[in-house]
């Protein structure tokens, strides 16, 4: 898939990278408007949670708008701003877990544990993807371990225990979010493996480096749409069950 830029600035219909950046921007914007407008009709108990859902998609919308233009103009992968987006939005997803378990006694230390693990996951991912390509599988492995620690906390650790001690609606919401983290977040290492030379234990799946980056962007864009909007909708549904 060669870089396809039309001189008019229009998106070539076969340029799936640009197309998914465009649709991603639109979807994140629409989701933000939805979450923000629903705030008024949300009970006080869940308002902060729904607000955070809107902040996650809003931050992503701004980054997607930028990344869409960057990709369209240069044909390159906007990797740096991808990671800036994740560094802001993934910790906010950790805040969501803290907020839903706070009522059954979650301490701020649990939030810091989740945030710390997510920062380790993302910083090592960035190093492996951009700064130290010679060791991309090692960095990917460290990132994966941090990821599994988050999965552990949410499925079996303190997050699971506190959520199950909460109301049935909170327990059910945590279960759904846990599936998002286990399956939805697993999309990202897949993108990493496709797009990073040596990202699969030293092997390179797609030999053309340019094409590899394109696959990676498409996979990341699909992952973001599922995880940011879907995640927010689970929180929104919880807020409606409990008001
Ligand atoms: C809204 C953005 C989200 C939910 C981003 C999540 C990103 C990940 C779960 C990334 C994970 C990675 C690994 C587990 C290993 C390879 C490197 C990463 C950073 C792609």
């Amino acid at each position: 898939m060669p870089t396809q830029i039309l001189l008019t600035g229009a998106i070539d219909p076969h340029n799936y990278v640009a197309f998914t950046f465009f649709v991603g921007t639109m979807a994140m914007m629409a989701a933000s408007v939805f979450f923000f407008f629903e705030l008024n009709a949300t009970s006080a108990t869940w308002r902060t949670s729904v607000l955070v859902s809107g902040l996650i998609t809003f931050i992503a919308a701004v980054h997607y708008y930028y990344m869409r233009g960057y990709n369209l103009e240069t044909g390159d992968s906007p990797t740096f701003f991808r990671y800036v987006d994740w560094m802001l939005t993934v910790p906010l997803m950790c805040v969501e877990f803290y907020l839903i378990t706070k009522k059954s006694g979650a301490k701020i230390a649990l939030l810091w544990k989740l945030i710390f693990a997510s920062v380790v996951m993302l910083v090592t991912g960035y190093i492996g993807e951009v700064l130290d390509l010679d060791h991309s599988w090692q960095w990917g492995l460290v990132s994966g371990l941090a990821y599994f620690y988050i999965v552990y906390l949410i499925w079996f650790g303190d997050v699971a225990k506190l959520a199950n001690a909460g109301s049935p609606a909170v327990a059910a919401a945590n279960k759904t979010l846990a599936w998002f983290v286990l399956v939805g977040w697993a999309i990202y290492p897949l993108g990493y493996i496709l797009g990073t030379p040596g990202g699969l234990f030293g092997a390179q799946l797609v030999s053309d480096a340019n094409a590899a980056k394109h696959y990676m962007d498409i996979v990341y864009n699909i992952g973001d749409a599922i995880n940011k909007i879907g995640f927010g909708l689970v929180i929104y549904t919880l807020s409606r069950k409990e008001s």
Side-chain angles (χ1 to χ4, degrees):
M1 206 186 328
T3 305
Q4 294 147 321
I5 311 162
L6 297 189
L7 291 175
T8 55
I11 296 177
D12 179 331
H14 299 292
N15 183 347
Y16 300 111
V17 180
F19 178 74
T20 51
F21 271 121
F22 177 81
V23 175
T25 306
M26 210 57 234
M28 297 295 179
M29 282 183 179
S32 310
V33 170
F34 175 75
F35 292 132
F36 289 148
F37 273 75
E38 285 293 320
L39 277 177
N40 256 339
T42 305
S43 72
T45 333
W46 293 106
R47 207 164 288 158
T48 312
S49 298
V50 174
L51 172 64
V52 173
S53 292
L55 290 178
I56 290 168
T57 52
F58 183 73
I59 291 169
V62 176
H63 283 82
Y64 264 78
Y65 181 76
Y66 175 83
M67 292 195 288
R68 181 203 52 85
Y70 179 98
N71 173 259
L72 210 51
E73 279 170 28
T74 66
D76 289 340
S77 204
T79 309
F80 180 73
F81 278 90
R82 167 87 67 195
Y83 274 86
V84 173
D85 174 350
W86 289 353
M87 283 290 273
L88 297 170
T89 52
V90 175
L92 281 174
M93 293 174 142
C94 300
V95 169
E96 295 282 33
F97 283 107
Y98 170 68
L99 288 175
I100 66 169
T101 50
K102 205 173 143 199
K103 287 171 201 72
S104 32
K107 301 271 187 313
I108 198 85
L110 177 60
L111 174 60
W112 286 118
K113 249 193 248 180
L114 287 165
I115 291 181
F116 179 75
S118 67
V119 169
V120 170
M121 175 180 85
L122 296 174
V123 169
T124 52
Y126 185 76
I127 297 173
E129 203 175 305
V130 179
L131 302 177
D132 185 16
L133 281 166
D134 288 343
H135 302 101
S136 47
W137 78 260
Q138 288 91 337
W139 289 112
L141 186 70
V142 178
S143 175
L145 290 176
Y147 165 62
F148 280 120
Y149 179 61
I150 299 172
V151 169
Y152 164 78
L153 283 177
I154 293 167
W155 274 87
F156 311 108
D158 287 349
V159 176
K161 286 176 198 148
L162 289 162
N164 293 333
S167 70
V170 166
N174 189 68
K175 192 90 228 183
T176 312
L177 293 178
W179 278 108
F180 268 93
V181 172
L182 182 66
V183 179
W185 288 24
I187 293 171
Y188 298 97
L190 218 68
Y192 183 89
I193 284 168
L194 276 174
T196 309
L200 183 68
F201 303 111
Q204 188 167 357
L205 284 195
V206 182
S207 53
D208 174 348
N210 227 352
K213 274 285 178 191
H214 285 145
Y215 289 127
M216 184 185 215
D217 272 322
I218 294 169
V219 171
Y220 284 168
N221 289 353
I222 293 169
D224 277 353
I226 293 172
N227 289 304
K228 292 182 164 63
I229 300 171
F231 206 93
L233 287 172
V234 175
I235 297 290
Y236 172 79
T237 307
L238 171 63
S239 77
R240 291 315 187 256
K241 274 192 200 155
E242 292 229 318
S243 52

